[in-house]
Amino acid sequence: MAMKIVLRDRWLYLMLLPGIVYFLLFKYLPMWGVLIAFQNYQPFLGFWHSDWVGMKHFIRFFNEPTFWMLFRNTVMLALYNLIFFFPLPIAIALMLNEVRKEFLKRFVQTMIYIPHFFSWVVVVGIFYLLFTVEGGVVNEAIVRLGGEKANFLISADWFRTLIMTEVIWKETGWGTIIFLAALAGVDPGLYEAAKIDGAGRWRQLWHITLPAIRNTIVILLILRLGHFLDTGFEQIILMLNAMNREVGEVFDTYVYSVGINQAQFSYSTAVGLFKSLVGLILVLATNALAKKSGDEGIY
């Protein structure tokens, strides 16, 4: 019976093949490499002949003076991301859902989607032109208003603000897509019934729209927490300099620094593995909480 179903849907299974091969080659096969976190890996000796050292690299990492700095910086950026960025696509999707002029709605959607297609190099370049002290638009405006120029780009105080501003500008519009799709699935009959009962726009939003997309919000929150400590390597490394390193160095940039620049492959793998384990624990814990509260979760 099972074979009959497979033969019947063989073309669908064939279409799955490229995706399966991709995940096997680029997602599952490289996971074998985490073994070097427990070795003194030597490229010329390979996996099989390098010495096993157990938890030595993890113990070293937890005892390094930089550990708490990295942990604090990474968690702070992750919390900023969760507090300031995560709710914005929901709010904008709800506002766009209230726009009745289709042309205006599509125009706004197109405008806010465009920054997503810029690379981080371009985004950081734009912010450099805006905030540099050498003719930057923001500093010129401050001077015209009677203030003094501020070197935002090397200031530790402004580092996190600039990082979050870039993330919000680049990704908020793109993040609305899933919520708009969820809102499109809400039964219009519910709104009609609510109007007949005398419910205004706010009551419709509170009692119909938000409950309708609640599962989507919970699932995306769980997925977001899975990447809680992923603060964006490319963006951070482009914004990092000697003056803001104390608040800007995070796990991702540290792994690059010690793994590639200093060739400490085993140690940097241990750092990366620790970060992945924290993400896994957060996903499992959040999914369990979501199921306890009556939501679907991701599995």
Side-chain angles (χ1 to χ4, degrees), residues 1 9 21 75-76 87-88 91 93 116 172 180 182 206 248 254 295 298:
M1 186 64 184
D9 299 329
V21 171
V75 169
M76 285 295 290
L88 276 177
H116 170 77
T172 299
L180 285 171
W206 188 254
Y254 186 68
D295 290 300
I298 57 173

Side-chain angles (χ1 to χ4, degrees), residues 58-109:
F58 292 94
I59 294 168
R60 176 192 160 190
F61 177 54
F62 295 139
N63 289 316
E64 286 274 358
T66 52
F67 172 75
W68 287 112
M69 180 195 78
L70 295 171
F71 190 78
R72 183 192 67 232
N73 293 343
T74 307
V75 169
M76 285 295 290
L77 281 176
L79 284 176
Y80 277 32
N81 204 303
L82 206 60
I83 295 167
F84 296 111
F85 171 66
F86 183 74
L88 276 177
I90 302 169
I92 292 177
L94 291 173
M95 286 192 284
L96 283 173
N97 193 50
E98 296 297 318
V99 176
R100 294 291 172 257
K101 299 283 185 187
E102 199 61 29
F103 169 76
L104 180 62
K105 187 175 178 179
R106 292 191 182 283
F107 176 76
V108 173
Q109 281 180 272

